[in-house]
Amino acid sequence: MGVTLSYSQQLHELNDYELVSSCTKKLEHKLANDLGAHGNGLVEKMKSVGRLLPHGIFHKVFRLSTQRNKLIHDANVNNLPDKHGFINQYIDISNALNEIVIEKGGRSNAENSPINRNNGEMINKLKVCCVILFLFIIINPNSKIS
């Protein structure tokens, strides 16, 4: 029988690069798919759904993202200064996001995101514009649209 590691122990087994990559990807995925976040990168996604997040999460996400960026982009940084602290921040953020998803009914909230909420209205306006353009072309076949 093998020993089963806890999730935290599994994270500790990863090297620092694997850890920051895996954790930030999972958080970005959760923000985008479960909460309807948009933007490039973790901080932009977090800001796009900021109204849903508890205040303390902003600071944790920003710290986690800063540590990730230093490790990936700073030539003088080759490891996390506090791997255990990074993992704890990640777990806290992930748990907070899970609670928000559960409060929202345990399903994706992407259809209620600020961007997607207006898509139906924009699609209807686009349809009307297409119909008007089509009618204009039918009525005025020799006119040029530039």
Side-chain angles (χ1 to χ4, degrees):
M1 244 190 248
V3 176
T4 304
L5 297 175
S6 73
Y7 186 61
S8 177
Q9 290 169 323
Q10 290 174 18
L11 292 175
H12 276 87
E13 295 292 316
L14 299 173
N15 72 47
D16 290 359
Y17 292 95
E18 293 170 327
L19 177 66
V20 299
S21 176
S22 175
C23 290
T24 55
K25 279 183 183 180
K26 287 177 184 176
L27 291 175
E28 286 184 35
H29 180 79
K30 183 174 290 300
L31 284 165
N33 292 339
D34 295 343
L35 297 173
H38 55 88
N40 295 321
L42 185 56
V43 173
E44 281 187 27
K45 283 181 173 69
M46 182 218 26
K47 287 179 179 179
S48 76
V49 293
R51 71 198 183 297
L52 300 173
L53 304 177
H55 180 69
I57 293 300
F58 282 101
H59 298 292
K60 288 182 180 183
V61 170
F62 189 75
R63 272 185 268 144
L64 191 121
S65 181
T66 300
Q67 290 176 24
R68 178 226 172 257
N69 289 342
K70 282 183 181 177
L71 181 64
I72 300 300
H73 300 293
D74 188 333
N76 296 320
V77 177
N78 295 310
N79 55 22
L80 291 168
D82 180 10
K83 186 174 187 173
H84 184 72
F86 183 92
I87 291 170
N88 286 339
Q89 284 180 29
Y90 164 72
I91 290 172
D92 288 348
I93 295 165
S94 185
N95 288 340
L97 295 178
N98 286 335
E99 287 177 21
I100 293 167
V101 171
I102 290 169
E103 288 173 8
K104 297 265 173 225
R107 60 183 187 275
S108 173
N109 193 35
E111 65 273 6
N112 293 325
S113 76
I115 283 183
N116 291 333
R117 191 172 28 235
N118 296 324
N119 279 355
E121 185 179 328
M122 281 193 281
I123 289 171
N124 288 336
K125 287 179 181 179
L126 184 59
K127 287 178 184 177
V128 169
C129 289
C130 288
V131 168
I132 291 170
L133 181 61
F134 177 76
L135 291 173
F136 177 81
I137 292 170
I138 296 286
I139 294 170
N140 302 303
N142 295 326
S143 65
K144 291 184 180 180
I145 300 174
S146 33

